[in-house]
Amino acid sequence: AAAAAAPVDAAWQLVAGPAEDAAAAAYGVLREVVLIASRLAAHDARFRLGAVAAMSLLTTTAGAASYRAVTGYPWGASYARVYSALFKAPGSDVTRESTLRATVVINVTYVFGVLVFAVLLGMIGEEVATQLMNLRSGKGPVRLSGHILLINWNSGSVEVIRQLAHAQGIPNHPFHNRPLVLLASDDKDVMEKAVAPLRANSSLQMELHVRSGDPFEVGDLQCVSAADAAYVILMYPDLAERAAAAAAATSSPSAA
């Protein structure tokens, strides 16, 4: 029995080695493609679902074509066999094939499918975790319409926000009950600390969202729904204060 199994083992080694190398190379290419696609559609859930469906169809079709080439089975039977192996259908087995080549095709297809779904599920899981973290930290996108958008931050921003909050509570005022969104390149924690007394003032009925970002970046403007804002107030940033702070930060190591 051992002597009879030796040729089979040798043939398996000859076929399995190149197959494993090809699967590893394909996995590397696939991973790069998926990562690029995830960056292009980081906030589009429909794209991610479409990517999963497309990769499932592509993997099944490639496996069915290979299986049909080595076995001569019709397309329907080849699709059914590869599908059952990829998705672990009840009763499927990747070791019960009539030829060695068919066994190699089924196993390589199965391993490649596992890698595909591992990458895709990892990508989706990472983005879900990122979105949850953004929501908890208040850094996620603001989905509003008809709001007031205040751009930039300076020494007079707190007073401007106080006046806008007061106007929000005046009936028939254009700003009545309109949420206020602040977008500035300053640190979010610093701005939140500055407006904290306004939030604590019970006499001010104010819905305020603070986001840190560059007003000249399209992505940051989309994050605050700038295109759907009813009013946009542009404030001049304190460039002198920033220059002084940058100069102090630059000179502090040498002074030390």
Side-chain angles (χ1 to χ4, degrees):
V8 176
D9 293 339
W12 172 258
Q13 293 298 326
L14 291 175
V15 177
E20 290 175 357
D21 295 338
Y27 168 70
V29 174
L30 174 67
R31 187 175 185 275
E32 292 299 324
V33 171
V34 170
L35 289 177
I36 293 174
S38 67
R39 296 190 190 103
L40 293 177
H43 303 291
D44 193 345
R46 292 174 298 180
F47 181 91
R48 293 193 292 270
L49 292 176
V52 173
M55 292 307 301
S56 300
L57 179 61
L58 179 61
T59 305
T60 306
T61 301
S66 301
Y67 189 79
R68 183 174 184 271
V70 300
T71 62
Y73 286 4
W75 277 107
S78 299
Y79 263 110
R81 182 68 186 96
V82 171
Y83 175 85
S84 63
L86 275 176
F87 298 100
K88 298 296 291 181
S92 63
D93 191 347
V94 297
T95 62
R96 297 178 181 177
E97 295 297 329
S98 57
T99 64
L100 178 61
R101 291 189 299 175
T103 302
V104 171
V105 168
I106 286 295
N107 281 271
V108 170
T109 303
Y110 173 75
V111 172
F112 185 73
V114 170
L115 296 177
V116 168
F117 289 107
V119 173
L120 290 174
L121 291 177
M123 176 189 73
I124 295 174
E126 183 177 355
E127 289 197 9
V128 169
T130 301
Q131 293 298 326
L132 289 176
M133 185 178 298
N134 289 337
L135 290 175
R136 291 174 180 174
S137 61
K139 297 180 181 179
V142 179
R143 306 301 185 191
L144 291 174
S145 179
H147 56 288
I148 305 169
L149 178 59
L150 181 62
I151 294 180
N152 288 325
W153 177 269
N154 58 33
S155 56
S157 296
V158 175
E159 183 58 32
V160 171
I161 294 174
R162 186 193 307 276
Q163 296 178 17
L164 292 173
H166 179 71
Q168 286 180 340
I170 301 177
N172 300 324
H173 194 282
F175 294 166
H176 179 61
N177 284 339
R178 291 189 182 274
L180 176 61
V181 181
L182 170 63
L183 174 65
S185 57
D186 294 66
D187 185 78
K188 183 179 185 297
D189 293 336
V190 173
M191 294 186 290
E192 287 283 6
K193 184 177 181 180
V195 300
L198 299 180
R199 294 184 186 275
N201 191 342
S202 59
S203 63
L204 296 178
Q205 302 295 326
M206 177 181 59
E207 179 183 349
L208 174 61
H209 305 271
V210 180
R211 294 295 183 270
S212 180
D214 293 321
F216 52 82
E217 290 288 344
V218 176
D220 292 335
L221 291 173
Q222 291 176 343
C223 181
V224 295
S225 301
D228 299 322
Y231 300 93
V232 178
I233 301 175
L234 180 62
M235 302 186 65
Y236 195 76
D238 287 330
L239 299 180
E241 292 183 4
R242 294 185 184 180
T250 304
S251 60
S252 57
S254 58

